[in-house]
Coordinates of all heavy atoms in Angstrom, one line a residue:
A122 N -11.4 -8.8 -1.7 CA -12.6 -9.1 -0.8 C -12.6 -10.5 -0.3 O -13.6 -11.1 -0.1 CB -13.8 -8.8 -1.6
R123 N -11.4 -11.0 0.0 CA -11.3 -12.3 0.6 C -10.4 -12.3 1.9 O -9.9 -13.3 2.3 CB -10.6 -13.3 -0.4 CG -11.4 -13.5 -1.7 CD -10.6 -14.4 -2.6 NE -11.2 -14.4 -3.9 CZ -11.1 -15.4 -4.8 NH1 -10.4 -16.5 -4.4 NH2 -11.6 -15.3 -5.9
G124 N -10.2 -11.1 2.4 CA -9.5 -11.0 3.6 C -7.9 -10.9 3.5 O -7.2 -10.8 4.5
I125 N -7.4 -10.8 2.2 CA -6.0 -10.7 2.0 C -5.5 -9.4 2.4 O -4.4 -9.3 3.0 CB -5.7 -11.1 0.5 CG1 -6.1 -12.6 0.3 CG2 -4.2 -10.9 0.2 CD1 -6.1 -13.0 -1.2
G126 N -6.2 -8.3 2.0 CA -5.7 -7.0 2.3 C -5.7 -6.8 3.9 O -4.7 -6.2 4.4
K127 N -6.7 -7.3 4.5 CA -6.7 -7.2 6.0 C -5.6 -7.9 6.6 O -4.9 -7.4 7.6 CB -8.1 -7.8 6.4 CG -8.5 -7.3 7.7 CD -10.0 -7.8 7.9 CE -10.7 -7.2 9.1 NZ -12.1 -7.5 9.1
A128 N -5.3 -9.1 6.1 CA -4.2 -10.0 6.7 C -2.9 -9.1 6.5 O -2.0 -9.1 7.4 CB -4.1 -11.3 6.0
L129 N -2.7 -8.5 5.3 CA -1.4 -7.8 5.0 C -1.3 -6.5 5.9 O -0.2 -6.3 6.5 CB -1.4 -7.3 3.5 CG -1.0 -8.5 2.5 CD1 -1.5 -8.0 1.1 CD2 0.4 -8.8 2.5
L130 N -2.4 -5.8 6.0 CA -2.3 -4.6 6.8 C -2.2 -4.9 8.2 O -1.5 -4.2 9.0 CB -3.6 -3.6 6.5 CG -3.5 -2.3 7.1 CD1 -2.2 -1.5 6.7 CD2 -4.7 -1.4 6.6
S131 N -2.8 -5.9 8.7 CA -2.7 -6.3 10.2 C -1.2 -6.6 10.5 O -0.7 -6.2 11.5 CB -3.5 -7.5 10.5 OG -4.8 -7.3 10.3
E132 N -0.6 -7.3 9.6 CA 0.8 -7.6 9.7 C 1.7 -6.4 9.7 O 2.6 -6.2 10.5 CB 1.3 -8.6 8.7 CG 2.7 -9.0 8.6 CD 3.2 -9.9 9.8 OE1 2.4 -10.4 10.4 OE2 4.5 -10.0 9.9
L133 N 1.4 -5.5 8.8 CA 2.2 -4.2 8.7 C 2.1 -3.4 10.0 O 3.0 -2.9 10.5 CB 1.7 -3.3 7.6 CG 2.2 -3.5 6.2 CD1 1.8 -2.3 5.3 CD2 3.8 -3.6 6.1
I134 N 0.8 -3.4 10.5 CA 0.6 -2.6 11.8 C 1.4 -3.3 12.9 O 2.0 -2.5 13.7 CB -0.9 -2.5 12.1 CG1 -1.6 -1.7 11.0 CG2 -1.2 -2.0 13.5 CD1 -3.1 -1.7 11.1
D135 N 1.4 -4.6 13.0 CA 2.1 -5.3 14.0 C 3.6 -4.9 13.9 O 4.3 -4.7 14.9 CB 2.0 -6.8 14.0 CG 0.6 -7.3 14.4 OD1 -0.2 -6.4 15.0 OD2 0.2 -8.4 14.1
R136 N 4.1 -5.0 12.7 CA 5.5 -4.7 12.5 C 5.9 -3.3 12.8 O 6.9 -3.0 13.3 CB 5.9 -5.1 11.0 CG 5.9 -6.6 10.8 CD 6.5 -6.9 9.4 NE 6.5 -8.3 9.2 CZ 7.4 -8.9 8.4 NH1 8.5 -8.3 8.0 NH2 7.3 -10.2 8.2
A137 N 5.0 -2.4 12.4 CA 5.2 -1.0 12.7 C 5.3 -0.8 14.2 O 6.2 0.0 14.7 CB 4.2 -0.1 12.1
R138 N 4.4 -1.4 14.9 CA 4.5 -1.3 16.4 C 5.8 -1.8 17.0 O 6.5 -1.2 17.8 CB 3.3 -2.0 17.0 CG 2.0 -1.2 16.8 CD 0.9 -1.8 17.7 NE -0.3 -0.8 17.5 CZ -1.5 -1.2 17.1 NH1 -1.8 -2.5 16.8 NH2 -2.4 -0.3 17.0
D139 N 6.2 -3.0 16.5 CA 7.4 -3.7 16.9 C 8.6 -2.8 16.6 O 9.6 -2.8 17.3 CB 7.6 -5.0 16.3 CG 6.6 -6.1 16.8 OD1 5.9 -5.8 17.8 OD2 6.5 -7.1 16.2
L140 N 8.6 -2.1 15.5 CA 9.7 -1.2 15.1 C 9.7 0.1 15.8 O 10.7 0.9 15.6 CB 9.7 -1.1 13.6 CG 10.1 -2.3 12.7 CD1 9.6 -2.1 11.3 CD2 11.6 -2.4 12.7
G141 N 8.7 0.3 16.6 CA 8.7 1.6 17.5 C 8.2 2.8 16.7 O 8.4 3.9 17.3

Side-chain angles (χ1 to χ4, degrees):
R123 299 177 192 207
I125 295 167
K127 205 169 188 170
L129 283 163
L130 188 52
S131 301
E132 173 73 14
L133 272 193
I134 292 169
D135 286 350
R136 288 188 183 216
R138 288 192 171 122
D139 289 348
L140 286 161

